[in-house]
Amino acid sequence: MGENLGRCCICVPTRLGVFMLGIFIFLSGLVCLIGLFLQDVRFISGGYSHATMIVSGIVGSLGMIFGFLGCLGAHDNSARYILAFLAYYGLRTATNVAVFTADMITLAKCETWLQSSESEQNWNPTLETISAQGLCQWTRYCYVTAFTVDFLLSAYFILIILKYYQFLNSKPASLLRFPGDSFVPGAGYKSFEEEADGRGEKEPFPRYAGGGV
């Protein structure tokens, strides 16, 4: 009998959702790596000081590795890879919180930055540009808004990945095949019932019974 693994984002099967999240984290890691080479805060989450930009860029770049592991874990139903992906996602979220806190302290000095002696001792081209253009308050508002949305989504996806990991960790690999939604919608894979009847080839992606969360 099929087992209800549930869905994420209302309509996406949980396993497919984790796979897609792995792709997103991989691409995000690639963008962060580019940002590190260019020393451009626009490619990195936060980083309004040199230290936070480096920390955020390095942790973000690791997404290229762990995003791939997340995709592989969802593809192979591997609890070990999903656990590694979950640990990284937690680290990424914690780093974003720390970077946000440090950046807000830096941005609090924005209005008086050009007139302060600290600006001469600690060169910060990003903060200097924002201060010179009078965008301090607008930058803080946008940053707080973006961080809040990102943090809430990150907390939600951590729960989704944890749920998927607990499911994989509680079942022998031989029992992780269920009737229901295909892993890739419209991909044309044979159903579990067709496999049992000998009417189809062994499908590369096991299926789950999708249920609403």
Side-chain angles (χ1 to χ4, degrees), residues 17-33 59-71 85 88-90 92-93 96 150 154 157 161:
V18 173
F19 183 85
M20 293 172 64
L21 183 61
I23 294 176
F24 172 78
I25 293 299
F26 176 86
L27 295 176
S28 177
L30 179 60
V31 171
C32 284
L33 186 62
V59 174
S61 297
L62 292 175
M64 295 180 62
I65 299 173
F66 289 95
F68 175 75
L69 289 180
C71 292
F85 185 46
Y88 168 75
Y89 209 93
R92 178 179 182 270
T93 302
N96 286 344
D150 179 73
S154 295
F157 284 122
I161 301 171

Side-chain angles (χ1 to χ4, degrees), residues 66-161:
F66 289 95
F68 175 75
L69 289 180
C71 292
L72 192 60
H75 180 281
D76 294 344
N77 277 325
S78 170
R80 180 178 59 179
Y81 290 156
I82 294 299
L83 179 59
F85 185 46
L86 174 62
Y88 168 75
Y89 209 93
L91 173 64
R92 178 179 182 270
T93 302
T95 300
N96 286 344
V97 172
V99 167
F100 171 77
T101 302
D103 280 343
M104 289 305 294
I105 295 174
T106 299
L107 288 172
K109 309 172 185 176
C110 182
E111 282 83 357
T112 59
W113 181 255
L114 293 178
Q115 294 77 34
S116 67
S117 58
E118 186 178 356
S119 64
E120 300 176 359
Q121 301 170 0
N122 302 315
W123 185 60
N124 189 328
T126 302
L127 192 60
E128 184 174 320
T129 300
I130 295 172
S131 181
Q133 296 179 357
L135 298 175
C136 299
Q137 185 174 352
W138 175 250
T139 299
R140 283 193 295 265
Y141 172 78
C142 292
Y143 190 20
V144 170
T145 301
F147 170 78
T148 301
V149 173
D150 179 73
F151 178 78
L152 292 176
L153 287 175
S154 295
Y156 172 74
F157 284 122
I158 285 175
L159 293 177
I160 293 297
I161 301 171

Side-chain angles (χ1 to χ4, degrees), residues 1-7 13 177-181 207-212:
M1 184 176 70
E3 194 160 327
N4 188 351
L5 181 59
R7 295 174 182 267
R177 312 190 62 157
F178 305 107
D181 297 328
R207 300 180 176 211
Y208 297 118

